[in-house]
């Protein structure tokens, strides 16, 4: 038997794009999220710190006790209270403060122990678990293209029961010093990430864009699921509009407005994400990758991939990018 057997198109596998008719699950599977850093951060008295744009890894903050303000560049300020969870898929610069009127000082990294802002002595008035995730580098751009700029889940948001249960477990673990604490926190925070990505509050704005906004629209969700289920199909706008039960013009306009890109652009982005995963993780031959995502020949796929990424499939596979 050969070391690599050709997988049938109907076989369930993370890189075939189907995600079991669940586009969000398929995206998360390709992102392969891992908690890289998580740290308890506290504050007392009056304080304000500035974090400059240092990396594109998704940042998160889970408020354990008290409250503070978060002011993200390009988004604006918001008050965070105990039990709130914030996920920023692509982290720009931001300020965190007890009072935004205070001139912020530049945050200094600390690698061990609890990070304290403001008054060093006495009890903390605010405590949070903060850190960031790392997504698979090959498909990190999916975060920017498919997810909203900020996900803020408040403790009392209707429908946030599952998120609350996970955050309570994290709070208990973070505030205790029990054996296995870091490992448990890492796994719980990864669960919280998935819960946060699939949560959509009832108050969500109709102006929001991204995959979550598209999936919240029943008509667009039908088209998105069909695209993910049959990624290799030679889709047209007419086909997708029919799946959504809409006219071509109405479908194209609503898809672009809600998802943030035209339908065929979304399909191309998703196909290339699958291709990147197949090239690096599965190390499939070029012809199989081409067939997997609907290209009639390896040369046609190679041309499209090079145009999309700026490098050939073989260069990409060798780079480990």
């Amino acid at each position: 038997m050969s070391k690599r057997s050709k997988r049938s198109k109907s076989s369930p596998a993370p890189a075939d794009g189907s995600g079991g008719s669940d586009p969000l699950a398929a995206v998360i599977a390709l992102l392969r999220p891992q908690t890289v850093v998580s740290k308890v951060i506290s504050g007392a008295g009056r304080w304000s710190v500035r974090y400059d744009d240092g990396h594109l890894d998704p940042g998160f903050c889970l408020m354990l006790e008290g409250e503070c303000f978060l002011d993200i560049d390009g988004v604006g300020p918001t008050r965070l209270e105990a039990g709130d969870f914030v996920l920023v898929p692509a982290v720009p610069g931001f300020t965190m403060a007890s009072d935004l009127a205070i001139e912020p000082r530049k945050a200094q990294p600390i690698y061990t122990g609890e990070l304290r802002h403001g008054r060093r002595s006495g009890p903390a008035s605010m405590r949070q678990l903060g850190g960031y995730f790392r997504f698979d580098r090959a498909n990190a751009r999916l975060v920017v293209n498919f997810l909203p700029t900020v996900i803020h889940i408040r403790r009392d948001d209707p429908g946030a029961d599952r998120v609350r249960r996970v955050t309570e477990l994290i709070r208990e673990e973070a505030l205790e010093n029990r054996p296995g604490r870091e490992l448990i926190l890492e796994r719980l925070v990864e669960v919280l990430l998935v819960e946060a990505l699939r949560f959509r509050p009832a108050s969500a704005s109709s102006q929001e864009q991204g995959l979550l906004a598209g999936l919240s629209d029943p008509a667009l969700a039908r088209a998105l699921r069909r695209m993910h289920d049959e990624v290799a199909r030679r889709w047209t706008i007419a086909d997708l509009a029919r799946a959504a039960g809409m006219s071509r013009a109405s479908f194209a306009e609503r898809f672009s407005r809600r998802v943030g890109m035209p339908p065929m652009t979304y399909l191309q982005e998703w196909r290339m994400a699958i291709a990147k995963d197949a090239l690096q993780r599965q190390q499939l031959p070029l012809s199989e990758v081409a067939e997997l995502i609907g290209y009639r020949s390896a040369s046609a796929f190679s041309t499209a991939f090079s145009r999309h990424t700026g490098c050939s499939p073989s260069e990409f596979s060798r780079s480990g990018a």
Side-chain angles (χ1 to χ4, degrees):
M1 178 180 286
S2 65
K3 292 184 179 180
R4 180 190 296 128
S5 60
K6 187 172 181 179
R7 179 175 52 80
S8 72
K9 291 184 182 179
S10 60
S11 301
D16 69 0
S18 68
S21 296
D22 186 345
L24 180 59
V27 169
I28 293 171
L30 286 193
L31 289 175
R32 294 181 173 86
Q34 291 182 315
T35 311
V36 176
V37 170
S38 64
K39 181 177 293 296
V40 174
I41 302 167
S42 62
R46 289 168 53 80
W47 56 272
S48 179
V49 292
R50 171 70 187 177
Y51 292 82
D52 292 325
D53 182 2
H55 55 76
L56 291 177
D57 293 315
F60 70 89
C61 168
L62 171 61
M63 292 294 292
L64 303 173
E65 298 174 335
E67 62 182 42
C68 69
F69 290 93
L70 174 65
D71 189 0
I72 301 173
D73 294 356
V75 175
T78 187
R79 181 193 294 269
L80 303 181
E81 300 176 335
D84 285 8
F85 177 74
V86 176
L87 172 68
V88 186
V91 179
F94 66 91
T95 297
M96 189 168 283
S98 62
D99 182 347
L100 290 174
I102 302 171
E103 184 69 22
R105 64 175 179 80
K106 186 173 181 180
Q108 299 297 320
I110 181 171
Y111 301 102
T112 60
E114 182 173 309
L115 174 61
R116 170 66 73 98
H117 297 314
R119 190 180 63 244
R120 300 296 176 183
S121 61
S125 57
M126 181 281 300
R127 186 170 276 112
Q128 62 181 238
L129 184 71
Y132 64 93
F133 297 97
R134 180 149 297 156
F135 288 156
D136 184 77
R137 286 194 302 164
N139 281 310
R141 65 177 290 173
L142 287 179
V143 175
V144 177
N145 290 343
F146 288 0
L147 300 179
T149 305
V150 179
I151 298 172
H152 182 189
I153 303 175
R154 299 187 183 276
R155 181 178 178 83
D156 57 356
D157 275 341
D161 293 347
R162 289 174 61 87
V163 173
R164 278 196 293 272
R165 289 199 292 270
V166 180
T167 57
E168 187 58 32
L169 287 172
I170 292 173
R171 179 183 180 278
E172 291 174 4
E173 197 66 40
L175 297 179
E176 298 289 339
N177 190 23
R178 293 182 287 190
R181 173 180 178 271
E182 296 303 322
L183 178 62
I184 294 293
L185 277 176
E186 181 176 337
R187 296 297 176 262
L188 285 174
V189 169
E190 287 170 11
V191 171
L192 183 57
L193 169 66
V194 178
E195 289 288 354
L197 289 177
R198 68 183 188 177
F199 176 77
R200 184 170 172 81
S203 60
S205 168
S206 61
Q207 303 304 311
E208 289 182 359
Q209 292 185 328
L211 177 59
L212 300 180
L215 290 173
S216 72
D217 183 311
L220 298 183
R222 287 195 294 271
L224 282 163
R225 291 189 179 101
R226 289 293 302 277
M227 271 193 266
H228 281 256
D229 280 344
E230 302 177 70
V231 71
R233 177 171 168 172
R234 296 179 65 80
W235 288 105
T236 65
I237 292 292
D239 293 332
L240 293 169
R242 195 175 304 113
M246 302 171 66
S247 70
R248 284 181 293 180
S250 296
F251 169 74
E253 186 278 330
R254 193 195 297 186
F255 192 103
S256 297
R257 175 165 45 86
R258 298 304 301 276
V259 179
M261 64 185 76
M264 304 315 289
T265 302
Y266 176 93
L267 180 61
Q268 177 76 346
E269 289 281 351
W270 182 237
R271 283 173 168 166
M272 291 301 154
I274 294 170
K276 291 175 184 177
D277 189 79
L279 288 167
Q280 284 198 346
R281 300 289 178 175
Q282 301 184 66
Q283 298 183 329
L284 296 180
L286 212 57
S287 59
E288 288 189 34
V289 179
E291 183 182 5
L292 183 67
I293 62 173
Y295 284 87
R296 292 183 172 178
S297 69
S299 61
F301 162 67
S302 183
T303 299
F305 187 92
S306 299
R307 187 165 55 242
H308 184 81
T309 64
C311 65
S312 71
S314 58
E315 290 171 335
F316 180 85
S317 185
R318 289 194 300 268
S319 72

